[in-house]
Amino acid sequence: MRKAVFFVTLILLASTFVLSQAYRGKGKVKGYVFDEEGNPLGEVKVKLYSLKAQSGFETVTDADGRWNAYWIRGGTWNIDFEKIGYKPKKMSAEIKEWSKNPDMEIKMEKIEGSVITEELKENLRRGNELFNEEKYEEALESYKSIIEEFPDAYIIHKNIGNCYFQMEKYDLAEEYYRKVLEKDSSNNEVMLLIGNTYAMS
């Protein structure tokens, strides 16, 4: 019986690995992100999602506002750009595997009236560190302090939802994920996260 369970577990793990790698291919794409004054934007989260593979990954821009994605399959990709204090940017692109893809130049607009303080940046960095250390209640405090100071940073609700999910408080996780959808109704990642809460409830 134990051998059978072990075998089934191996199959599930293998299936998960194949699914997570389904977006891989021969293509590559790169881009540049800048603000309204033409200045490069670093630390922009770039999320790439393959519609054909139903999977994806994320990267971030460097200090010069540049990002790269290698070994990805061809087809339609949804690409999201997120940075606290700036309006999220979305685009769809047809990626080719056997020919050069044009560089993507993305301009992000600052949210009117927003001020990104060093304290806010520190709270985000600290929250991420605590989350990675599995100190979810402490991470919650950092993330919630960001929302209190900067209500327009709605994407932080996803971080809060992730904390509640890890704490097995799935109803609260769903509640905060849905706060993201209220502002960004086509956020595929958050839709998947909500689906995960249903599966665990």
Side-chain angles (χ1 to χ4, degrees), residues 70-106:
Y70 298 104
W71 304 109
I72 61 176
R73 71 183 299 167
T76 304
W77 285 73
N78 287 339
I79 307 177
D80 297 350
F81 301 84
E82 297 175 357
K83 182 177 175 67
I84 290 180
Y86 292 81
K87 297 178 182 178
K89 197 86 171 183
K90 292 178 172 292
M91 65 173 296
S92 181
E94 289 294 326
I95 303 300
K96 300 175 182 177
E97 293 193 58
W98 304 107
S99 58
K100 179 179 173 60
N101 292 294
D103 291 359
M104 299 180 185
E105 294 191 353
I106 302 297

PDB file of all heavy atoms in Angstrom, residues 70-106:
ATOM      1  N   TYR A  70      13.964  34.575 -21.301  1.00  0.00           N
ATOM      2  CA  TYR A  70      14.559  33.638 -22.243  1.00  0.00           C
ATOM      3  C   TYR A  70      13.865  32.280 -22.179  1.00  0.00           C
ATOM      4  O   TYR A  70      13.235  31.931 -21.193  1.00  0.00           O
ATOM      5  CB  TYR A  70      16.047  33.449 -21.929  1.00  0.00           C
ATOM      6  CG  TYR A  70      16.869  34.711 -22.057  1.00  0.00           C
ATOM      7  CD1 TYR A  70      17.291  35.405 -20.925  1.00  0.00           C
ATOM      8  CD2 TYR A  70      17.214  35.216 -23.304  1.00  0.00           C
ATOM      9  CE1 TYR A  70      18.049  36.563 -21.034  1.00  0.00           C
ATOM     10  CE2 TYR A  70      17.971  36.369 -23.430  1.00  0.00           C
ATOM     11  CZ  TYR A  70      18.386  37.039 -22.292  1.00  0.00           C
ATOM     12  OH  TYR A  70      19.120  38.185 -22.406  1.00  0.00           O
ATOM     13  N   TRP A  71      14.038  31.514 -23.255  1.00  0.00           N
ATOM     14  CA  TRP A  71      13.548  30.131 -23.319  1.00  0.00           C
ATOM     15  C   TRP A  71      12.045  30.037 -23.048  1.00  0.00           C
ATOM     16  O   TRP A  71      11.592  29.298 -22.190  1.00  0.00           O
ATOM     17  CB  TRP A  71      14.329  29.234 -22.354  1.00  0.00           C
ATOM     18  CG  TRP A  71      15.799  29.268 -22.592  1.00  0.00           C
ATOM     19  CD1 TRP A  71      16.750  29.846 -21.797  1.00  0.00           C
ATOM     20  CD2 TRP A  71      16.502  28.730 -23.718  1.00  0.00           C
ATOM     21  NE1 TRP A  71      17.996  29.704 -22.357  1.00  0.00           N
ATOM     22  CE2 TRP A  71      17.877  29.015 -23.544  1.00  0.00           C
ATOM     23  CE3 TRP A  71      16.111  28.032 -24.867  1.00  0.00           C
ATOM     24  CZ2 TRP A  71      18.845  28.638 -24.459  1.00  0.00           C
ATOM     25  CZ3 TRP A  71      17.085  27.651 -25.785  1.00  0.00           C
ATOM     26  CH2 TRP A  71      18.430  27.947 -25.566  1.00  0.00           C
ATOM     27  N   ILE A  72      11.284  30.833 -23.791  1.00  0.00           N
ATOM     28  CA  ILE A  72       9.829  30.775 -23.652  1.00  0.00           C
ATOM     29  C   ILE A  72       9.205  30.328 -24.971  1.00  0.00           C
ATOM     30  O   ILE A  72       9.765  30.540 -26.048  1.00  0.00           O
ATOM     31  CB  ILE A  72       9.241  32.129 -23.202  1.00  0.00           C
ATOM     32  CG1 ILE A  72       9.536  33.234 -24.224  1.00  0.00           C
ATOM     33  CG2 ILE A  72       9.793  32.513 -21.837  1.00  0.00           C
ATOM     34  CD1 ILE A  72       8.907  34.567 -23.873  1.00  0.00           C
ATOM     35  N   ARG A  73       8.051  29.717 -24.879  1.00  0.00           N
ATOM     36  CA  ARG A  73       7.391  29.171 -26.060  1.00  0.00           C
ATOM     37  C   ARG A  73       6.702  30.276 -26.855  1.00  0.00           C
ATOM     38  O   ARG A  73       6.424  31.364 -26.345  1.00  0.00           O
ATOM     39  CB  ARG A  73       6.379  28.097 -25.665  1.00  0.00           C
ATOM     40  CG  ARG A  73       5.140  28.626 -24.977  1.00  0.00           C
ATOM     41  CD  ARG A  73       4.217  27.500 -24.551  1.00  0.00           C
ATOM     42  NE  ARG A  73       3.753  26.716 -25.689  1.00  0.00           N
ATOM     43  CZ  ARG A  73       3.149  25.532 -25.586  1.00  0.00           C
ATOM     44  NH1 ARG A  73       2.952  24.999 -24.396  1.00  0.00           N
ATOM     45  NH2 ARG A  73       2.746  24.888 -26.652  1.00  0.00           N
ATOM     46  N   GLY A  74       6.417  29.973 -28.106  1.00  0.00           N
ATOM     47  CA  GLY A  74       5.713  30.925 -28.944  1.00  0.00           C
ATOM     48  C   GLY A  74       4.229  30.966 -28.618  1.00  0.00           C
ATOM     49  O   GLY A  74       3.698  30.107 -27.920  1.00  0.00           O
ATOM     50  N   GLY A  75       3.563  31.991 -29.127  1.00  0.00           N
ATOM     51  CA  GLY A  75       2.130  32.132 -28.900  1.00  0.00           C
ATOM     52  C   GLY A  75       1.803  33.436 -28.199  1.00  0.00           C
ATOM     53  O   GLY A  75       2.642  34.326 -28.057  1.00  0.00           O
ATOM     54  N   THR A  76       0.565  33.531 -27.753  1.00  0.00           N
ATOM     55  CA  THR A  76       0.097  34.750 -27.101  1.00  0.00           C
ATOM     56  C   THR A  76       0.466  34.745 -25.619  1.00  0.00           C
ATOM     57  O   THR A  76       0.201  33.774 -24.912  1.00  0.00           O
ATOM     58  CB  THR A  76      -1.427  34.885 -27.241  1.00  0.00           C
ATOM     59  OG1 THR A  76      -1.782  34.850 -28.631  1.00  0.00           O
ATOM     60  CG2 THR A  76      -1.910  36.196 -26.637  1.00  0.00           C
ATOM     61  N   TRP A  77       1.057  35.836 -25.187  1.00  0.00           N
ATOM     62  CA  TRP A  77       1.427  36.011 -23.782  1.00  0.00           C
ATOM     63  C   TRP A  77       0.774  37.278 -23.241  1.00  0.00           C
ATOM     64  O   TRP A  77       0.771  38.310 -23.904  1.00  0.00           O
ATOM     65  CB  TRP A  77       2.943  36.149 -23.640  1.00  0.00           C
ATOM     66  CG  TRP A  77       3.700  34.864 -23.792  1.00  0.00           C
ATOM     67  CD1 TRP A  77       3.923  34.176 -24.951  1.00  0.00           C
ATOM     68  CD2 TRP A  77       4.334  34.125 -22.752  1.00  0.00           C
ATOM     69  NE1 TRP A  77       4.664  33.042 -24.699  1.00  0.00           N
ATOM     70  CE2 TRP A  77       4.933  32.988 -23.356  1.00  0.00           C
ATOM     71  CE3 TRP A  77       4.466  34.305 -21.375  1.00  0.00           C
ATOM     72  CZ2 TRP A  77       5.643  32.039 -22.623  1.00  0.00           C
ATOM     73  CZ3 TRP A  77       5.175  33.360 -20.648  1.00  0.00           C
ATOM     74  CH2 TRP A  77       5.751  32.242 -21.264  1.00  0.00           C
ATOM     75  N   ASN A  78       0.211  37.180 -22.045  1.00  0.00           N
ATOM     76  CA  ASN A  78      -0.223  38.364 -21.315  1.00  0.00           C
ATOM     77  C   ASN A  78       0.933  38.812 -20.430  1.00  0.00           C
ATOM     78  O   ASN A  78       1.526  37.993 -19.719  1.00  0.00           O
ATOM     79  CB  ASN A  78      -1.445  38.064 -20.448  1.00  0.00           C
ATOM     80  CG  ASN A  78      -2.705  37.888 -21.273  1.00  0.00           C
ATOM     81  OD1 ASN A  78      -2.782  38.343 -22.415  1.00  0.00           O
ATOM     82  ND2 ASN A  78      -3.700  37.223 -20.716  1.00  0.00           N
ATOM     83  N   ILE A  79       1.251  40.091 -20.486  1.00  0.00           N
ATOM     84  CA  ILE A  79       2.380  40.611 -19.718  1.00  0.00           C
ATOM     85  C   ILE A  79       1.899  41.786 -18.870  1.00  0.00           C
ATOM     86  O   ILE A  79       1.346  42.755 -19.395  1.00  0.00           O
ATOM     87  CB  ILE A  79       3.533  41.052 -20.640  1.00  0.00           C
ATOM     88  CG1 ILE A  79       3.906  39.911 -21.598  1.00  0.00           C
ATOM     89  CG2 ILE A  79       4.742  41.476 -19.818  1.00  0.00           C
ATOM     90  CD1 ILE A  79       4.979  40.273 -22.608  1.00  0.00           C
ATOM     91  N   ASP A  80       2.088  41.676 -17.561  1.00  0.00           N
ATOM     92  CA  ASP A  80       1.673  42.715 -16.621  1.00  0.00           C
ATOM     93  C   ASP A  80       2.902  43.376 -16.015  1.00  0.00           C
ATOM     94  O   ASP A  80       3.896  42.710 -15.705  1.00  0.00           O
ATOM     95  CB  ASP A  80       0.828  42.123 -15.488  1.00  0.00           C
ATOM     96  CG  ASP A  80      -0.476  41.523 -15.985  1.00  0.00           C
ATOM     97  OD1 ASP A  80      -0.807  41.737 -17.165  1.00  0.00           O
ATOM     98  OD2 ASP A  80      -1.149  40.847 -15.197  1.00  0.00           O
ATOM     99  N   PHE A  81       2.803  44.687 -15.811  1.00  0.00           N
ATOM    100  CA  PHE A  81       3.877  45.456 -15.193  1.00  0.00           C
ATOM    101  C   PHE A  81       3.321  46.127 -13.943  1.00  0.00           C
ATOM    102  O   PHE A  81       2.329  46.854 -14.019  1.00  0.00           O
ATOM    103  CB  PHE A  81       4.411  46.512 -16.168  1.00  0.00           C
ATOM    104  CG  PHE A  81       4.957  45.934 -17.449  1.00  0.00           C
ATOM    105  CD1 PHE A  81       4.110  45.633 -18.508  1.00  0.00           C
ATOM    106  CD2 PHE A  81       6.312  45.676 -17.588  1.00  0.00           C
ATOM    107  CE1 PHE A  81       4.598  45.092 -19.688  1.00  0.00           C
ATOM    108  CE2 PHE A  81       6.812  45.131 -18.759  1.00  0.00           C
ATOM    109  CZ  PHE A  81       5.956  44.833 -19.815  1.00  0.00           C
ATOM    110  N   GLU A  82       3.965  45.892 -12.798  1.00  0.00           N
ATOM    111  CA  GLU A  82       3.467  46.417 -11.528  1.00  0.00           C
ATOM    112  C   GLU A  82       4.596  47.059 -10.734  1.00  0.00           C
ATOM    113  O   GLU A  82       5.689  46.503 -10.628  1.00  0.00           O
ATOM    114  CB  GLU A  82       2.849  45.296 -10.684  1.00  0.00           C
ATOM    115  CG  GLU A  82       1.637  44.632 -11.304  1.00  0.00           C
ATOM    116  CD  GLU A  82       1.142  43.452 -10.487  1.00  0.00           C
ATOM    117  OE1 GLU A  82       1.801  43.122  -9.467  1.00  0.00           O
ATOM    118  OE2 GLU A  82       0.122  42.845 -10.849  1.00  0.00           O
ATOM    119  N   LYS A  83       4.310  48.225 -10.192  1.00  0.00           N
ATOM    120  CA  LYS A  83       5.238  48.897  -9.278  1.00  0.00           C
ATOM    121  C   LYS A  83       4.419  49.794  -8.369  1.00  0.00           C
ATOM    122  O   LYS A  83       3.546  50.536  -8.841  1.00  0.00           O
ATOM    123  CB  LYS A  83       6.269  49.725 -10.047  1.00  0.00           C
ATOM    124  CG  LYS A  83       7.310  50.413  -9.147  1.00  0.00           C
ATOM    125  CD  LYS A  83       8.344  51.154  -9.980  1.00  0.00           C
ATOM    126  CE  LYS A  83       9.313  51.941  -9.092  1.00  0.00           C
ATOM    127  NZ  LYS A  83      10.181  51.042  -8.281  1.00  0.00           N
ATOM    128  N   ILE A  84       4.672  49.715  -7.085  1.00  0.00           N
ATOM    129  CA  ILE A  84       3.924  50.527  -6.134  1.00  0.00           C
ATOM    130  C   ILE A  84       4.105  52.008  -6.465  1.00  0.00           C
ATOM    131  O   ILE A  84       5.217  52.479  -6.705  1.00  0.00           O
ATOM    132  CB  ILE A  84       4.388  50.243  -4.695  1.00  0.00           C
ATOM    133  CG1 ILE A  84       3.949  48.838  -4.270  1.00  0.00           C
ATOM    134  CG2 ILE A  84       3.820  51.266  -3.726  1.00  0.00           C
ATOM    135  CD1 ILE A  84       4.361  48.472  -2.876  1.00  0.00           C
ATOM    136  N   GLY A  85       2.979  52.731  -6.486  1.00  0.00           N
ATOM    137  CA  GLY A  85       3.004  54.148  -6.795  1.00  0.00           C
ATOM    138  C   GLY A  85       2.730  54.455  -8.254  1.00  0.00           C
ATOM    139  O   GLY A  85       2.592  55.620  -8.628  1.00  0.00           O
ATOM    140  N   TYR A  86       2.613  53.394  -9.079  1.00  0.00           N
ATOM    141  CA  TYR A  86       2.367  53.569 -10.508  1.00  0.00           C
ATOM    142  C   TYR A  86       1.156  52.746 -10.935  1.00  0.00           C
ATOM    143  O   TYR A  86       0.872  51.694 -10.357  1.00  0.00           O
ATOM    144  CB  TYR A  86       3.588  53.139 -11.326  1.00  0.00           C
ATOM    145  CG  TYR A  86       4.778  54.051 -11.150  1.00  0.00           C
ATOM    146  CD1 TYR A  86       5.613  53.919 -10.045  1.00  0.00           C
ATOM    147  CD2 TYR A  86       5.045  55.060 -12.068  1.00  0.00           C
ATOM    148  CE1 TYR A  86       6.698  54.766  -9.859  1.00  0.00           C
ATOM    149  CE2 TYR A  86       6.134  55.910 -11.893  1.00  0.00           C
ATOM    150  CZ  TYR A  86       6.952  55.757 -10.788  1.00  0.00           C
ATOM    151  OH  TYR A  86       8.016  56.600 -10.609  1.00  0.00           O
ATOM    152  N   LYS A  87       0.459  53.239 -11.943  1.00  0.00           N
ATOM    153  CA  LYS A  87      -0.683  52.506 -12.458  1.00  0.00           C
ATOM    154  C   LYS A  87      -0.190  51.232 -13.147  1.00  0.00           C
ATOM    155  O   LYS A  87       0.729  51.292 -13.967  1.00  0.00           O
ATOM    156  CB  LYS A  87      -1.457  53.360 -13.465  1.00  0.00           C
ATOM    157  CG  LYS A  87      -2.069  54.620 -12.873  1.00  0.00           C
ATOM    158  CD  LYS A  87      -2.770  55.441 -13.945  1.00  0.00           C
ATOM    159  CE  LYS A  87      -3.349  56.721 -13.370  1.00  0.00           C
ATOM    160  NZ  LYS A  87      -3.990  57.557 -14.421  1.00  0.00           N
ATOM    161  N   PRO A  88      -0.791  50.085 -12.822  1.00  0.00           N
ATOM    162  CA  PRO A  88      -0.380  48.841 -13.493  1.00  0.00           C
ATOM    163  C   PRO A  88      -0.573  48.952 -14.997  1.00  0.00           C
ATOM    164  O   PRO A  88      -1.481  49.628 -15.481  1.00  0.00           O
ATOM    165  CB  PRO A  88      -1.316  47.791 -12.890  1.00  0.00           C
ATOM    166  CG  PRO A  88      -1.773  48.378 -11.607  1.00  0.00           C
ATOM    167  CD  PRO A  88      -1.850  49.857 -11.833  1.00  0.00           C
ATOM    168  N   LYS A  89       0.286  48.302 -15.717  1.00  0.00           N
ATOM    169  CA  LYS A  89       0.222  48.310 -17.176  1.00  0.00           C
ATOM    170  C   LYS A  89       0.048  46.879 -17.657  1.00  0.00           C
ATOM    171  O   LYS A  89       0.710  45.961 -17.166  1.00  0.00           O
ATOM    172  CB  LYS A  89       1.515  48.896 -17.742  1.00  0.00           C
ATOM    173  CG  LYS A  89       1.436  49.330 -19.180  1.00  0.00           C
ATOM    174  CD  LYS A  89       0.904  50.743 -19.294  1.00  0.00           C
ATOM    175  CE  LYS A  89       1.037  51.262 -20.712  1.00  0.00           C
ATOM    176  NZ  LYS A  89       0.604  52.655 -20.835  1.00  0.00           N
ATOM    177  N   LYS A  90      -0.835  46.694 -18.633  1.00  0.00           N
ATOM    178  CA  LYS A  90      -1.087  45.362 -19.177  1.00  0.00           C
ATOM    179  C   LYS A  90      -0.921  45.391 -20.687  1.00  0.00           C
ATOM    180  O   LYS A  90      -1.247  46.380 -21.334  1.00  0.00           O
ATOM    181  CB  LYS A  90      -2.508  44.899 -18.844  1.00  0.00           C
ATOM    182  CG  LYS A  90      -2.758  44.620 -17.384  1.00  0.00           C
ATOM    183  CD  LYS A  90      -4.213  44.226 -17.166  1.00  0.00           C
ATOM    184  CE  LYS A  90      -4.440  43.753 -15.760  1.00  0.00           C
ATOM    185  NZ  LYS A  90      -3.756  42.479 -15.497  1.00  0.00           N
ATOM    186  N   MET A  91      -0.428  44.283 -21.213  1.00  0.00           N
ATOM    187  CA  MET A  91      -0.344  44.176 -22.658  1.00  0.00           C
ATOM    188  C   MET A  91      -0.397  42.712 -23.058  1.00  0.00           C
ATOM    189  O   MET A  91      -0.207  41.811 -22.233  1.00  0.00           O
ATOM    190  CB  MET A  91       0.946  44.812 -23.177  1.00  0.00           C
ATOM    191  CG  MET A  91       2.221  44.127 -22.738  1.00  0.00           C
ATOM    192  SD  MET A  91       3.684  44.809 -23.552  1.00  0.00           S
ATOM    193  CE  MET A  91       3.342  44.391 -25.266  1.00  0.00           C
ATOM    194  N   SER A  92      -0.680  42.483 -24.321  1.00  0.00           N
ATOM    195  CA  SER A  92      -0.684  41.135 -24.878  1.00  0.00           C
ATOM    196  C   SER A  92       0.272  41.135 -26.061  1.00  0.00           C
ATOM    197  O   SER A  92       0.306  42.090 -26.840  1.00  0.00           O
ATOM    198  CB  SER A  92      -2.097  40.753 -25.323  1.00  0.00           C
ATOM    199  OG  SER A  92      -2.121  39.446 -25.841  1.00  0.00           O
ATOM    200  N   ALA A  93       1.077  40.081 -26.172  1.00  0.00           N
ATOM    201  CA  ALA A  93       2.080  40.042 -27.235  1.00  0.00           C
ATOM    202  C   ALA A  93       2.148  38.654 -27.855  1.00  0.00           C
ATOM    203  O   ALA A  93       1.971  37.644 -27.171  1.00  0.00           O
ATOM    204  CB  ALA A  93       3.449  40.431 -26.681  1.00  0.00           C
ATOM    205  N   GLU A  94       2.395  38.621 -29.154  1.00  0.00           N
ATOM    206  CA  GLU A  94       2.622  37.369 -29.864  1.00  0.00           C
ATOM    207  C   GLU A  94       4.128  37.111 -29.902  1.00  0.00           C
ATOM    208  O   GLU A  94       4.875  37.857 -30.534  1.00  0.00           O
ATOM    209  CB  GLU A  94       2.061  37.444 -31.288  1.00  0.00           C
ATOM    210  CG  GLU A  94       0.548  37.446 -31.360  1.00  0.00           C
ATOM    211  CD  GLU A  94      -0.058  36.133 -30.887  1.00  0.00           C
ATOM    212  OE1 GLU A  94       0.569  35.071 -31.112  1.00  0.00           O
ATOM    213  OE2 GLU A  94      -1.144  36.170 -30.292  1.00  0.00           O
ATOM    214  N   ILE A  95       4.555  36.079 -29.219  1.00  0.00           N
ATOM    215  CA  ILE A  95       5.978  35.762 -29.139  1.00  0.00           C
ATOM    216  C   ILE A  95       6.335  34.703 -30.182  1.00  0.00           C
ATOM    217  O   ILE A  95       5.640  33.698 -30.322  1.00  0.00           O
ATOM    218  CB  ILE A  95       6.344  35.251 -27.730  1.00  0.00           C
ATOM    219  CG1 ILE A  95       5.964  36.294 -26.674  1.00  0.00           C
ATOM    220  CG2 ILE A  95       7.831  34.919 -27.655  1.00  0.00           C
ATOM    221  CD1 ILE A  95       6.650  37.625 -26.829  1.00  0.00           C
ATOM    222  N   LYS A  96       7.413  34.946 -30.900  1.00  0.00           N
ATOM    223  CA  LYS A  96       7.899  33.995 -31.899  1.00  0.00           C
ATOM    224  C   LYS A  96       9.128  33.271 -31.353  1.00  0.00           C
ATOM    225  O   LYS A  96       9.938  33.861 -30.640  1.00  0.00           O
ATOM    226  CB  LYS A  96       8.249  34.732 -33.191  1.00  0.00           C
ATOM    227  CG  LYS A  96       7.072  35.479 -33.808  1.00  0.00           C
ATOM    228  CD  LYS A  96       7.512  36.289 -35.014  1.00  0.00           C
ATOM    229  CE  LYS A  96       6.349  37.081 -35.599  1.00  0.00           C
ATOM    230  NZ  LYS A  96       6.771  37.930 -36.739  1.00  0.00           N
ATOM    231  N   GLU A  97       9.249  32.009 -31.711  1.00  0.00           N
ATOM    232  CA  GLU A  97      10.384  31.228 -31.219  1.00  0.00           C
ATOM    233  C   GLU A  97      11.570  31.244 -32.171  1.00  0.00           C
ATOM    234  O   GLU A  97      12.713  31.089 -31.751  1.00  0.00           O
ATOM    235  CB  GLU A  97       9.957  29.775 -30.960  1.00  0.00           C
ATOM    236  CG  GLU A  97       8.978  29.618 -29.810  1.00  0.00           C
ATOM    237  CD  GLU A  97       8.828  28.170 -29.380  1.00  0.00           C
ATOM    238  OE1 GLU A  97       9.843  27.555 -29.012  1.00  0.00           O
ATOM    239  OE2 GLU A  97       7.691  27.659 -29.428  1.00  0.00           O
ATOM    240  N   TRP A  98      11.318  31.406 -33.456  1.00  0.00           N
ATOM    241  CA  TRP A  98      12.386  31.216 -34.435  1.00  0.00           C
ATOM    242  C   TRP A  98      12.805  32.500 -35.128  1.00  0.00           C
ATOM    243  O   TRP A  98      13.577  32.475 -36.078  1.00  0.00           O
ATOM    244  CB  TRP A  98      11.957  30.172 -35.466  1.00  0.00           C
ATOM    245  CG  TRP A  98      11.564  28.883 -34.811  1.00  0.00           C
ATOM    246  CD1 TRP A  98      10.303  28.396 -34.666  1.00  0.00           C
ATOM    247  CD2 TRP A  98      12.425  27.948 -34.167  1.00  0.00           C
ATOM    248  NE1 TRP A  98      10.310  27.212 -33.977  1.00  0.00           N
ATOM    249  CE2 TRP A  98      11.610  26.902 -33.659  1.00  0.00           C
ATOM    250  CE3 TRP A  98      13.807  27.884 -33.964  1.00  0.00           C
ATOM    251  CZ2 TRP A  98      12.126  25.820 -32.968  1.00  0.00           C
ATOM    252  CZ3 TRP A  98      14.320  26.792 -33.271  1.00  0.00           C
ATOM    253  CH2 TRP A  98      13.487  25.780 -32.790  1.00  0.00           C
ATOM    254  N   SER A  99      12.301  33.624 -34.675  1.00  0.00           N
ATOM    255  CA  SER A  99      12.735  34.911 -35.219  1.00  0.00           C
ATOM    256  C   SER A  99      12.768  35.930 -34.090  1.00  0.00           C
ATOM    257  O   SER A  99      12.199  35.706 -33.019  1.00  0.00           O
ATOM    258  CB  SER A  99      11.801  35.374 -36.344  1.00  0.00           C
ATOM    259  OG  SER A  99      10.466  35.482 -35.886  1.00  0.00           O
ATOM    260  N   LYS A 100      13.430  37.049 -34.321  1.00  0.00           N
ATOM    261  CA  LYS A 100      13.626  38.058 -33.284  1.00  0.00           C
ATOM    262  C   LYS A 100      12.314  38.751 -32.939  1.00  0.00           C
ATOM    263  O   LYS A 100      11.569  39.168 -33.823  1.00  0.00           O
ATOM    264  CB  LYS A 100      14.653  39.088 -33.754  1.00  0.00           C
ATOM    265  CG  LYS A 100      14.927  40.203 -32.758  1.00  0.00           C
ATOM    266  CD  LYS A 100      15.978  41.150 -33.296  1.00  0.00           C
ATOM    267  CE  LYS A 100      16.158  42.366 -32.400  1.00  0.00           C
ATOM    268  NZ  LYS A 100      16.572  42.015 -31.038  1.00  0.00           N
ATOM    269  N   ASN A 101      12.043  38.866 -31.651  1.00  0.00           N
ATOM    270  CA  ASN A 101      10.877  39.608 -31.185  1.00  0.00           C
ATOM    271  C   ASN A 101      11.282  41.054 -30.906  1.00  0.00           C
ATOM    272  O   ASN A 101      12.370  41.307 -30.370  1.00  0.00           O
ATOM    273  CB  ASN A 101      10.326  38.975 -29.905  1.00  0.00           C
ATOM    274  CG  ASN A 101       9.716  37.609 -30.160  1.00  0.00           C
ATOM    275  OD1 ASN A 101       8.705  37.489 -30.838  1.00  0.00           O
ATOM    276  ND2 ASN A 101      10.346  36.564 -29.625  1.00  0.00           N
ATOM    277  N   PRO A 102      10.439  42.012 -31.272  1.00  0.00           N
ATOM    278  CA  PRO A 102      10.789  43.419 -31.033  1.00  0.00           C
ATOM    279  C   PRO A 102      10.874  43.728 -29.543  1.00  0.00           C
ATOM    280  O   PRO A 102      10.148  43.147 -28.734  1.00  0.00           O
ATOM    281  CB  PRO A 102       9.638  44.182 -31.695  1.00  0.00           C
ATOM    282  CG  PRO A 102       8.492  43.217 -31.715  1.00  0.00           C
ATOM    283  CD  PRO A 102       9.111  41.863 -31.902  1.00  0.00           C
ATOM    284  N   ASP A 103      11.781  44.631 -29.184  1.00  0.00           N
ATOM    285  CA  ASP A 103      11.890  45.068 -27.798  1.00  0.00           C
ATOM    286  C   ASP A 103      10.601  45.787 -27.391  1.00  0.00           C
ATOM    287  O   ASP A 103       9.982  46.488 -28.194  1.00  0.00           O
ATOM    288  CB  ASP A 103      13.070  46.018 -27.615  1.00  0.00           C
ATOM    289  CG  ASP A 103      14.404  45.306 -27.778  1.00  0.00           C
ATOM    290  OD1 ASP A 103      14.394  44.082 -28.002  1.00  0.00           O
ATOM    291  OD2 ASP A 103      15.445  45.978 -27.690  1.00  0.00           O
ATOM    292  N   MET A 104      10.211  45.615 -26.139  1.00  0.00           N
ATOM    293  CA  MET A 104       9.000  46.250 -25.629  1.00  0.00           C
ATOM    294  C   MET A 104       9.370  47.480 -24.806  1.00  0.00           C
ATOM    295  O   MET A 104      10.139  47.377 -23.851  1.00  0.00           O
ATOM    296  CB  MET A 104       8.212  45.265 -24.764  1.00  0.00           C
ATOM    297  CG  MET A 104       7.759  44.036 -25.505  1.00  0.00           C
ATOM    298  SD  MET A 104       6.822  42.917 -24.426  1.00  0.00           S
ATOM    299  CE  MET A 104       6.568  41.539 -25.551  1.00  0.00           C
ATOM    300  N   GLU A 105       8.830  48.609 -25.177  1.00  0.00           N
ATOM    301  CA  GLU A 105       9.046  49.839 -24.420  1.00  0.00           C
ATOM    302  C   GLU A 105       7.741  50.210 -23.718  1.00  0.00           C
ATOM    303  O   GLU A 105       6.719  50.428 -24.368  1.00  0.00           O
ATOM    304  CB  GLU A 105       9.511  50.966 -25.338  1.00  0.00           C
ATOM    305  CG  GLU A 105      10.887  50.710 -25.949  1.00  0.00           C
ATOM    306  CD  GLU A 105      11.451  51.936 -26.631  1.00  0.00           C
ATOM    307  OE1 GLU A 105      10.717  52.951 -26.750  1.00  0.00           O
ATOM    308  OE2 GLU A 105      12.617  51.883 -27.048  1.00  0.00           O
ATOM    309  N   ILE A 106       7.795  50.254 -22.397  1.00  0.00           N
ATOM    310  CA  ILE A 106       6.591  50.461 -21.593  1.00  0.00           C
ATOM    311  C   ILE A 106       6.733  51.723 -20.745  1.00  0.00           C
ATOM    312  O   ILE A 106       7.690  51.865 -19.980  1.00  0.00           O
ATOM    313  CB  ILE A 106       6.336  49.254 -20.662  1.00  0.00           C
ATOM    314  CG1 ILE A 106       6.199  47.967 -21.477  1.00  0.00           C
ATOM    315  CG2 ILE A 106       5.102  49.498 -19.803  1.00  0.00           C
ATOM    316  CD1 ILE A 106       5.022  47.948 -22.414  1.00  0.00           C
TER     317      ILE A 106
END
